[in-house]
Amino acid sequence: MPSYTVTVATGSQWFAGTDDYVYLSLEGTAGCSERHLLDKPFYNDFERGAVDSYDVTVEEDLGEIQLIKIEKRKYWYQDDWYLKYVTVKTPLGDYLEFPCYRWITDEKEIVLRDGRAKLPRDDKTQILKQHRRKELENRQKTYRWKEWHPGFPLSIDAHSHSELPRDIQFDNEKGIDFVLNYSKAMENLYINRFMHMFQSSWSDFADFEKIFVRISNTISEYVMQHWKEDFMFGYQFLNGCNPVLIRRCTEIPKKLPVTMDMVECSLERNLTLEEEVKQGNIFIVDYELLDGVDANKTDPCTVQYLAAPICLLYKNLENKIVPIAIQLGQKPGPENPIFLPSDATYDWLLAKIWVRSSDFHIHQTVTHLLRTHLVSEVFSIAMFRQLPAVHPLFKLLVPHMRFTIAINTKAREQLICECGLFDKANATGGGGHVQMVQKAMKDLTYSSLCFPDEIKAKGMDSKEDIPYYYYRDDGIKVWEAIKSFAEDVIHIYYETDEVVCEDVELQAFVKDIYMYGMRGVKAAGFPKMIKTREKLAEYLTVIIFTTSAQHAAVNFGQYDWCSWIPNAPPTMRCPPPTQKGTVTIEQIVESLPDRGRSCWHLGAVWALSQFQDNELFLGMYPDEHFVEKPVKEAMAKFRKNLDEIVSTITERNKSKKLPYYYLSPDRIPNSVAV
């Protein structure tokens, strides 16, 4: 009688093993095997991290094995089991791999196909077509779209992390408990002793060191020492944790009536302001989105304020970007003066602090939350709804969706919800952050997620003109490496553009993102369908880059750049100045966050800047969803390209007082998971 050798690998996650009854059946082109008992309670098989093998004898040859069924029947208590993969050695000596990488919960069964990636057109038998269709039907019932707030990208239909499908939950929910993590961070930073002084102001700038000095690192300490300098202020627009707002100024806007007399002493080329603009030496950052956003009113004891500044910057003869004019409101007038480097020291310093505070708000809510977290969740939900596990694009994308829906759900549960942690320290808490996302949606376009296109659209693409824009330089390298990898995988499975057009699952995936995630807004420019391999490569690059590199660039520098409170105030407790010559050091300190809010802020930026336990970085694919040799060769090429980028960045950073490493591939997690 024919005998098959079945090997079963259990995951190493906590509680991944099982003490239940486990059955296996094989289904081939010539028939089905009987149901075979592989494990029962107290056999101690399928323990966490174990690999167990069994001989399965059948009455007759089953032909080519198409499906295997794994059943788990409860013995005594609820017992989840994480199954990594199953391999089957046939009587002829062939090995078949059946990737799973899923949890089997309750008294459930799962049906697996072998690991060879297949497009819909590749399935010829009815049994495979039916399996494919049934998997998607079940997924679409499980992964449902929901509107969290009007105007937001749609998100997952779950009120809490515990309601999510088991496969996308964190292994340990305590690990992403924001309340617990922030509290631990403050305890580890020795700042929890200040929490009882929630409304109490600091005495002076040096007083902030009481919560800072114990945890200083190279960049954060440098920021503390140099934050008042115009060079440091300008540098952050290029390489800080929000390096996405600066653009080349092609015309001084009418709402910022800067004259040559105002800025003449800041210009170094003996040119007029208009000539400097024409030569491309003037840059602008406009926080118009904050205009009209309601400031946090959740604490009646502390009035909080927001501003919508416009900042004009200049590339000096040393190619450094420095500020030359700041207006703190959008409407010019006597009570909205334009602050200049030639003004009194504290006037100019407070104006820059207001810009830094506004930059913090845009960074947290738009750059970080909307344009990485929420967008990545859209990609993730659409992938689970429309791409079966056998589809090559599911296999390609699933590592880049790891824990994204889970972290966002937990954030909606604890962080950005009404009365959440976001309200405790941020001036945009209490609903302002919701208004910001709703306003920012009009600028969330497909082209703005295409990294090279967005850099070019802002006029920031010239390395000669702007030589110290490391975010751009490293981002382009990583983008090209991802795109090359995507192209390699696409060419393995899509011989022609026609094959792309005919892939109904791909087209449903793209349509789901457009219609539901992005709300069907035509002006956003998201494709309704993909017609060419070239466009598909770009589309996949957008997804992988956003979920990995872009998130890394704007997330993991938060402690570096925001831990020195005066450099990134999460709230301001006095209104913006309406005239010059009145600002004092006491007024500045009184404007900055009180002790309690400073501590919450510091705990937040510390916690958000930490990698997950057992983090998987770009190019690391320990779960072998792909089994084909050509794809594994493409992965090896991808890792080689990434390693070369790491070496280039490491070499450059050796001579830098302010190293830029956020887009070094060895520091880019595969997915949005924190």
Side-chain angles (χ1 to χ4, degrees):
M1 290 189 294
S3 179
Y4 295 81
T5 301
V6 176
T7 302
V8 182
T10 297
S12 59
Q13 295 90 334
W14 289 107
F15 310 117
T18 183
D19 285 315
D20 292 333
Y21 293 95
V22 176
Y23 299 90
L24 169 82
S25 52
L26 306 172
E27 186 162 353
T29 52
C32 303
S33 73
E34 294 182 359
R35 192 165 168 255
H36 292 267
L37 176 65
L38 297 186
D39 183 41
K40 62 182 179 179
F42 311 117
Y43 264 40
N44 294 322
D45 284 356
F46 302 150
E47 295 296 303
R48 184 166 64 92
V51 178
D52 302 292
S53 293
Y54 308 87
D55 289 328
V56 175
T57 302
V58 298
E59 295 291 331
E60 297 179 359
D61 182 51
L62 302 176
E64 182 183 349
I65 301 298
Q66 295 188 302
L67 301 172
I68 64 171
K69 180 189 291 185
I70 302 285
E71 300 176 63
K72 185 173 76 71
R73 300 303 173 196
K74 187 168 67 175
Y75 167 64
W76 185 251
Y77 61 90
Q78 180 64 38
D79 190 15
D80 294 351
W81 176 37
Y82 188 83
L83 174 59
K84 291 176 64 178
Y85 60 82
V86 178
T87 63
V88 176
K89 182 183 178 183
T90 70
L92 296 176
D94 297 326
Y95 280 90
L96 301 175
E97 299 179 50
F98 295 82
C100 182
Y101 303 105
R102 288 156 56 190
W103 288 93
I104 306 178
T105 60
D106 302 323
E107 293 191 89
K108 294 289 180 66
E109 64 181 35
I110 59 171
V111 181
L112 302 176
R113 293 182 55 159
D114 78 82
R116 292 170 295 177
K118 301 289 184 181
L119 296 174
R121 69 169 194 159
D122 298 327
D123 285 343
K124 306 301 182 185
T125 65
Q126 196 60 36
I127 186 173
L128 294 180
K129 292 179 180 179
Q130 183 179 357
H131 175 266
R132 193 175 197 122
R133 183 171 61 252
K134 188 174 180 181
E135 180 185 6
L136 287 182
E137 288 173 355
N138 290 335
R139 291 247 211 94
Q140 287 163 15
K141 292 175 184 176
T142 304
Y143 295 86
R144 302 174 304 275
W145 295 106
K146 181 183 178 181
E147 182 182 73
W148 189 56
H149 278 295
F152 273 51
L154 294 190
S155 52
I156 195 72
D157 184 6
H159 292 96
S160 65
H161 179 268
S162 60
E163 291 183 10
L164 294 173
R166 185 68 178 90
D167 288 330
I168 61 170
Q169 291 182 23
F170 278 96
D171 299 330
N172 177 12
E173 188 175 351
K174 287 184 178 179
I176 51 140
D177 188 306
F178 287 106
V179 176
L180 184 64
N181 288 347
Y182 286 19
S183 300
K184 280 183 178 178
M186 287 185 283
E187 183 179 343
N188 292 338
L189 303 175
Y190 300 94
I191 57 176
N192 50 351
R193 67 189 188 277
F194 294 105
M195 287 304 297
H196 70 282
M197 299 181 272
F198 203 77
Q199 310 293 340
S200 174
S201 296
W202 301 94
S203 302
D204 52 34
F205 292 137
D207 213 14
F208 284 97
E209 292 185 46
K210 291 179 180 178
I211 63 167
F212 175 85
V213 71
R214 296 187 68 107
I215 44 154
S216 59
N217 65 16
T218 304
I219 293 180
S220 60
E221 190 169 284
Y222 195 92
V223 171
M224 180 184 71
Q225 295 167 350
H226 299 278
W227 71 281
K228 296 180 183 179
E229 299 171 18
D230 287 353
F231 154 73
M232 176 59 73
F233 179 88
Y235 178 86
Q236 293 178 74
F237 289 113
L238 299 177
N239 301 310
C241 62
N242 193 30
V244 303
L245 298 183
I246 189 169
R247 61 173 60 244
R248 198 184 295 272
C249 181
T250 56
E251 182 181 9
I252 304 295
K254 292 181 180 179
K255 63 181 180 179
L256 181 66
V258 175
T259 65
M260 179 62 181
D261 289 342
M262 291 179 181
V263 298
E264 186 173 11
C265 60
S266 297
L267 308 181
E268 299 179 355
R269 294 181 177 82
N270 295 318
L271 300 174
T272 66
L273 178 59
E274 289 72 19
E275 290 169 336
E276 294 278 18
V277 169
K278 287 181 181 178
Q279 288 204 5
N281 298 323
I282 304 295
F283 301 83
I284 192 168
V285 180
D286 190 346
Y287 297 92
E288 182 179 12
L289 185 135
L290 282 164
D291 193 31
V293 172
D294 294 329
N296 194 336
K297 295 181 177 65
T298 59
D299 180 3
C301 298
T302 302
V303 181
Q304 301 178 61
Y305 296 91
L306 292 168
I310 310 170
C311 182
L312 209 62
L313 300 116
Y314 175 64
K315 184 184 72 174
N316 64 20
L317 290 175
E318 295 179 330
N319 283 324
K320 293 179 179 178
I321 304 292
V322 293
I324 59 173
I326 294 171
Q327 183 176 281
L328 296 181
Q330 292 288 308
K331 297 178 182 178
E335 294 188 347
N336 187 18
I338 296 175
F339 292 92
L340 308 165
S342 55
D343 290 339
T345 300
Y346 291 136
D347 282 5
W348 182 235
L349 182 60
L350 182 56
K352 290 191 292 182
I353 289 173
W354 267 106
V355 172
R356 293 296 312 140
S357 183
S358 300
D359 195 79
F360 174 81
H361 297 311
I362 296 290
H363 166 262
Q364 286 287 2
T365 302
V366 180
T367 308
H368 184 207
L369 173 63
L370 172 61
R371 298 180 68 87
T372 63
H373 277 261
L374 299 185
V375 168
S376 295
E377 183 175 0
V378 165
F379 297 148
S380 188
I381 297 170
M383 179 198 73
F384 282 112
R385 285 173 51 81
Q386 303 298 347
L387 299 177
V390 72
H391 199 292
L393 299 188
F394 179 90
K395 293 172 180 284
L396 175 67
L397 294 177
V398 69
H400 302 287
M401 308 301 167
R402 180 173 178 254
F403 298 147
T404 297
I405 298 175
I407 195 69
N408 285 3
T409 302
K410 199 69 177 178
R412 286 187 287 269
E413 206 179 337
Q414 292 185 322
L415 187 61
I416 57 175
C417 56
E418 188 175 353
C419 302
L421 293 177
F422 199 82
D423 292 353
K424 288 186 178 294
N426 296 305
T428 50
H433 60 301
V434 173
Q435 296 173 352
M436 290 175 67
V437 170
Q438 290 166 335
K439 294 176 71 172
M441 278 295 289
K442 65 179 173 57
D443 296 320
L444 179 57
T445 63
Y446 176 77
S447 63
S448 73
L449 297 179
C450 295
F451 189 83
D453 294 352
E454 178 68 353
I455 293 290
K456 189 171 184 178
K458 286 184 164 69
M460 301 295 293
D461 51 316
S462 173
K463 290 187 179 183
E464 290 185 5
D465 287 351
I466 316 161
Y468 304 123
Y469 198 10
Y470 306 126
Y471 163 74
R472 171 202 61 205
D473 299 342
D474 298 351
I476 292 291
K477 291 186 179 75
V478 174
W479 172 276
E480 292 299 332
I482 293 172
K483 188 176 181 183
S484 176
F485 175 48
E487 288 171 342
D488 288 345
V489 174
I490 287 167
H491 282 81
I492 293 169
Y493 297 101
Y494 296 91
E495 297 94 336
T496 64
D497 291 344
E498 186 179 4
V499 179
V500 173
C501 293
E502 293 174 351
D503 185 349
V504 293
E505 290 168 349
L506 162 63
Q507 303 305 339
F509 168 64
V510 172
K511 186 177 180 180
D512 235 27
I513 290 171
Y514 170 76
M515 285 296 299
Y516 296 103
M518 299 306 169
R519 315 300 296 265
V521 178
K522 291 183 180 180
F526 281 83
K528 295 180 183 178
M529 66 178 299
I530 302 288
K531 297 181 179 180
T532 67
R533 294 189 295 177
E534 181 182 4
K535 193 65 178 177
L536 177 57
E538 179 190 77
Y539 196 82
L540 295 174
T541 305
V542 165
I543 294 173
I544 297 173
F545 186 88
T546 301
T547 58
S548 58
Q550 187 61 29
H551 178 256
V554 303
N555 182 74
F556 294 104
Q558 290 189 73
Y559 176 73
D560 289 344
W561 296 99
C562 302
S563 57
W564 180 244
I565 305 291
N567 189 59
T571 189
M572 297 290 278
R573 297 178 299 146
C574 295
T578 57
Q579 55 182 321
K580 297 186 182 186
T582 63
V583 179
T584 63
I585 180 64
E586 291 77 17
Q587 182 182 344
I588 293 178
V589 173
E590 193 64 31
S591 296
L592 291 169
D594 55 47
R595 294 169 188 257
R597 287 181 174 82
S598 297
C599 293
W600 272 111
H601 168 81
L602 197 57
V605 298
W606 171 263
L608 291 172
S609 299
Q610 307 306 305
F611 294 121
Q612 287 284 349
D613 292 339
N614 303 316
E615 189 71 83
L616 297 175
F617 295 96
L618 194 59
M620 294 171 58
Y621 302 116
D623 292 355
E624 296 189 52
H625 292 276
F626 282 108
V627 301
E628 296 95 327
K629 185 178 178 182
V631 185
K632 292 186 176 184
E633 290 173 348
M635 287 178 175
K637 175 187 167 186
F638 183 37
R639 283 190 288 270
K640 183 174 182 292
N641 290 340
L642 295 175
D643 288 343
E644 290 173 358
I645 296 171
V646 171
S647 298
T648 300
I649 293 173
T650 302
E651 187 63 30
R652 179 197 67 208
N653 284 338
K654 284 180 180 178
S655 60
K656 300 296 180 187
K657 292 180 180 178
L658 281 173
Y660 186 82
Y661 44 71
Y662 309 117
L663 281 170
S664 184
D666 59 341
R667 291 173 178 253
I668 299 175
N670 265 334
S671 63
V672 177
V674 65

